[in-house]
Amino acid sequence: MSSMYRQLIVDRYKAPLFKGKLDNADIHFHDANPLCGDEIEVFVRLDDEGKIKEAKFDGTGCAISQASVDLLLEGIEGMTPDEVMGLDADFIKEMLNIPLTPVRLKCALLGLKVLQAGILIHKKKQEAGES
Amino acid sequence: MISITEILKDFPIFETKIHGKRLVYLDNAATTQKPRQVIEAISQYYETRNANVHRGVHYLSEIASEDYEEAHNKVAKFLNAKGMEEIIFTRNTTESLNLLAYSLGLNELEKGDNIVLTRFEHHSNLVPWQQMARRQGAEIRFIEMTEDCRLDLASAEKAIDDKTKVVSITHMSNALGTIIPVKEVSKLAREHGAYMIVDGAQSAPHMPVDVRELDVDFFAFSGHKMLAPMGIGGLYGREDILEKMEPFLFGGDMISIVSFDNATWNRLPWKFEAGTPNVSGGIGLAVAIDYLGKIGFDKIHYIEHELTEYAHERLNELSFIKIYGPEPKYKGAVVSFAMDGIHPHDIASLLDEDGIAVRAGHHCAQPLMKMLGTDSTTRASMYFYNTKEDIDALVESLQKIYKLFS
Ligand SMILES: Cc1ncc(COP(=O)(O)O)c(C=O)c1O
């Protein structure tokens, strides 16, 4: 069996590239996995064309959840929020490229879930502002 | 005396390879493995004696009924109850405790009464009482934990008073291993006329239990944590109390005479066993008790205590490990720990890659974890079929994990 913990996962857990907070974020959401207590807060700033310019996260939890969100934020630079809404579990699995058990897949997906929830809230706010 | 090699031969699961490696099973507080004798008894029951109980006069039904009753007798002896009438079969500890919470809660608990628990309770001895307290307007109180994770008996004296209707406490913490001095607490419950309930899910598998010597009214346990199959558990209840108590589940088998608008209850223990029971489970439980008897609790205690001390010693050599809970002499074979900078789920996943099964998480004791200043730990829990080699494998794997992350 190949390990769930390939070097990239461990490295990005120990030294994440996208950890931090952003002031005046356009998209901001915070949630936890009630089963294991992992927590993730995401911050996203959009550019003038509405594309993702900068993203950060803050959080605590297992290496899978934390490395996964760090890699995710790297991957979404330049995407539109709608494109991010189209990402699914398969995208995360491919991105991590490790054998995940069903339980640990939930850890891996936490970041995407939080990010997508933040985007939905952002869109609702925008719609409310426009109408 | 039976040797460890012989014991291991009785447990077919140890022939299973986990990711190509030897299985190191250290999750016994969650459930134990089953000996061949138990597995065979269950299949033999289905192959040769299966029938519904208490309903037929045909041969198979009578045999099955006899076996099922005999299983009650066996549990009665195991717990030193007076007899079968004091032993109710349930699915597990959770159901036993719900039986009590519903029956006592709905019929006896009044506004202004209080229920006393400890800080160590498993969710199954906390949540049912929370619900009943809310419903009836009763108060929940807690006997505190000391700095060194033992029961604070002084606080028990404060918590239990004349308004206490129920004292319900665990016999051994599944999260930390702490053994609770039940007898001291039951003395206090007696002084104040409260029902005394013990959650024995973690004690019945590991130590001799004598409900009369402990002087308790109820004792709940799960078969699956003591070699028996899943789906069978039990509740000891003092006969005179059970006689007066209202049933929890209603339906077939638990009745005596039924008319279209009324019903009377069957004799004990059947009054509390509604519907077709888990006969094969009961038979498996009886065989599990025989198996434990063959090994003997003296030997079980000796093996487990040695293993716990050895685990403490080995883990204490690792500077990056912090053990939660009391010293080995105050606890059962459970070692709950944390590792610097590595999440318990990662530890458990990585141990699994080495064939080592442990539990990571809050161990169904979220409030207790919070008190300890964490939300999860990694827990290794042993049984008499574990060995020092299992602990060595754990330690070696933990060292590897620490290196990977540093
Ligand atoms: C102390 C304690 N109480 C109750 C339970 C619940 O047992 P079951 O899930 O078999 O009902 C457990 C099992 O984890 C336990 O360890």
Side-chain angles (χ1 to χ4, degrees), chain B residues 28-31 90-98 120-125 169-175 199-203 220-225 230-233 359 363-364 379:
Chain B
N28 293 288
T31 199
T90 60
R91 283 189 303 137
N92 48 38
T93 305
T94 303
E95 188 176 303
S96 298
L97 293 168
N98 271 275
F120 297 93
E121 300 315 321
H122 187 279
H123 294 164
S124 67
N125 194 31
I169 63 172
T170 187
H171 202 173
M172 175 178 144
S173 158
N174 64 303
D199 168 358
Q202 296 295 341
S203 61
F221 69 96
S222 295
H224 71 92
K225 292 184 196 286
M230 293 189 175
I232 189 77
R359 175 88 181 264
H363 316 297
C364 295
R379 179 189 73 188

Side-chain angles (χ1 to χ4, degrees), chain B residues 186-216:
Chain B
S186 82
K187 219 178 275 163
L188 292 169
R190 290 280 171 256
E191 281 168 21
H192 296 280
Y195 289 114
M196 181 68 201
I197 301 170
V198 175
D199 168 358
Q202 296 295 341
S203 61
H206 304 279
M207 56 180 94
V209 171
D210 180 333
V211 289
R212 284 187 273 182
E213 146 76 14
L214 287 174
D215 194 21
V216 299

Side-chain angles (χ1 to χ4, degrees), chain B residues 275-302:
Chain B
T276 299
N278 182 356
V279 179
S280 70
I283 289 169
L285 175 60
V287 175
I289 288 174
D290 283 340
Y291 192 94
L292 289 172
K294 195 174 76 180
I295 310 276
F297 276 118
D298 281 349
K299 175 151 180 170
I300 291 174
H301 175 77
Y302 179 80

Side-chain angles (χ1 to χ4, degrees), chain B residues 67 80 251 287:
Chain B
D67 285 355
N80 196 30
V287 175

Side-chain angles (χ1 to χ4, degrees), chain A residues 1 3-5 7 10 13-14 34-36 38 61-64 104, chain B residues 19 341-343 345-346 349-350 352-353 362 366 375-376 404-406:
Chain A
M1 183 180 103
S3 177
M4 217 184 276
Y5 295 83
Q7 200 57 48
V10 175
Y13 170 66
K14 285 196 317 201
L35 273 179
C36 56
D38 285 5
C62 68
I64 304 294
R104 303 313 304 274
Chain B
H19 314 307
I342 312 178
H343 194 278
H345 282 163
D346 296 323
S349 281
L350 281 157
D352 174 65
E353 291 181 4
H362 53 58
Q366 279 178 1
D375 40 45
S376 61
L404 175 70
F405 275 81
S406 58

Side-chain angles (χ1 to χ4, degrees), chain B residues 13 16-24 352-356:
Chain B
I13 194 108
T16 305
K17 292 276 174 281
I18 308 297
H19 314 307
K21 307 215 167 87
R22 174 176 88 88
L23 166 62
V24 176
D352 174 65
E353 291 181 4
D354 279 342
I356 302 168

